[in-house]
């Protein structure tokens, strides 16, 4: 963020700042901030997500058909995973708000005439990418909720059948 706030001073610590326009130094600062936000967002989530729970007897399938807590290896067969799904999801969540930051930052640089209008193309692409990721994550949440409800209903039905098949003496 220091490159965004004081581009010439910070960039000038290591390089000849007179050779690069302030606007482009700020573009670099925004890009570096974006990368930092994504790692920070994913890292902060790592501390809040509880460790994986012990495997149940019959894990619920995910949208890909692979049980929770499993991943596929190169052969495509499920393997045990030491990381819950939430760890990779946190990076995707962070990519949404960091790309929104990038779009706003680039638009601000164009509005203040520090960067050319063509930078708005990158701002628009990042805005579209962030909104697309948000939409995809919401659709995945709905699919997983539906699968979870179906699995719960199926489990309750099999428990009821088992209870009917074993009469009390």
């Amino acid at each position: 963020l220091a490159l965004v706030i004081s581009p010439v001073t910070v960039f000038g610590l290591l390089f000849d700042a007179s050779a690069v326009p302030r606007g482009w130094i700020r573009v670099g600062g925004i890009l570096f901030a974006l990368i930092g936000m994504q790692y920070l967002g994913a890292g902060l989530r790592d501390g809040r997500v509880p460790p994986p729970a012990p495997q149940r007897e019959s894990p619920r399938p995910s949208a890909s058909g692979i049980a929770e807590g499993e991943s596929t290896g190169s052969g495509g067969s499920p393997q045990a995973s030491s990381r819950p799904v939430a760890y990779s999801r946190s990076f995707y969540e962070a990519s949404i708000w960091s790309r929104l930051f990038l779009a706003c930052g680039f638009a601000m640089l164009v509005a203040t005439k520090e960067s050319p209008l063509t930078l708005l193309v990158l701002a628009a692409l990042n805005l579209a990418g962030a909104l697309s990721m948000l939409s995809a994550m919401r659709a995945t949440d709905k699919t997983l909720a539906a699968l979870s409800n179906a699995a719960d209903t199926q489990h309750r039905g099999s428990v009821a059948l088992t209870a009917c098949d074993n009469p009390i003496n």
Side-chain angles (χ1 to χ4, degrees):
L1 287 176
L3 285 171
V4 175
I5 296 168
S6 184
V8 175
T9 304
V10 175
F11 192 77
L13 293 174
L14 298 174
F15 305 102
D16 179 13
S18 65
V20 181
R22 274 185 8 197
W24 287 114
I25 298 172
R26 285 191 164 128
V27 166
I30 290 171
L31 290 171
F32 297 141
L34 169 119
I35 294 167
M37 286 178 189
Q38 290 177 347
Y39 284 105
L40 182 63
L44 289 173
R45 177 71 183 254
D46 285 354
R48 292 192 314 252
V49 175
Q55 284 291 328
R56 297 181 300 251
E57 289 181 25
S58 58
R60 292 183 181 149
S62 68
S64 65
I66 299 170
E68 288 181 40
E70 295 181 343
S71 63
T72 58
S74 58
S77 60
Q79 301 174 348
S81 172
S82 61
R83 306 190 83 177
V85 174
Y87 283 98
S88 58
R89 180 181 173 88
S90 62
F91 185 82
Y92 298 133
E93 290 171 351
S95 79
I96 294 170
W97 52 265
S98 64
R99 286 187 287 172
L100 292 173
F101 164 80
L102 180 136
C104 291
F106 282 4
M108 184 181 72
L109 290 176
V110 171
T112 59
K113 299 186 186 329
E114 289 194 57
S115 294
L117 273 172
T118 53
L119 195 60
L120 288 179
V121 172
L122 294 177
L125 289 172
N126 276 279
L127 178 61
L131 295 176
S132 174
M133 178 66 75
L134 179 62
S135 175
M137 290 182 75
R138 286 182 176 169
T140 299
D141 289 345
K142 288 179 183 177
T143 301
L144 290 175
L147 286 172
S148 177
N149 288 339
D152 285 345
T153 302
Q154 182 181 11
H155 178 71
R156 275 185 253 133
S158 66
V159 169
L161 287 176
T162 303
C164 291
D165 290 341
N166 297 322
I168 300 175
N169 291 334

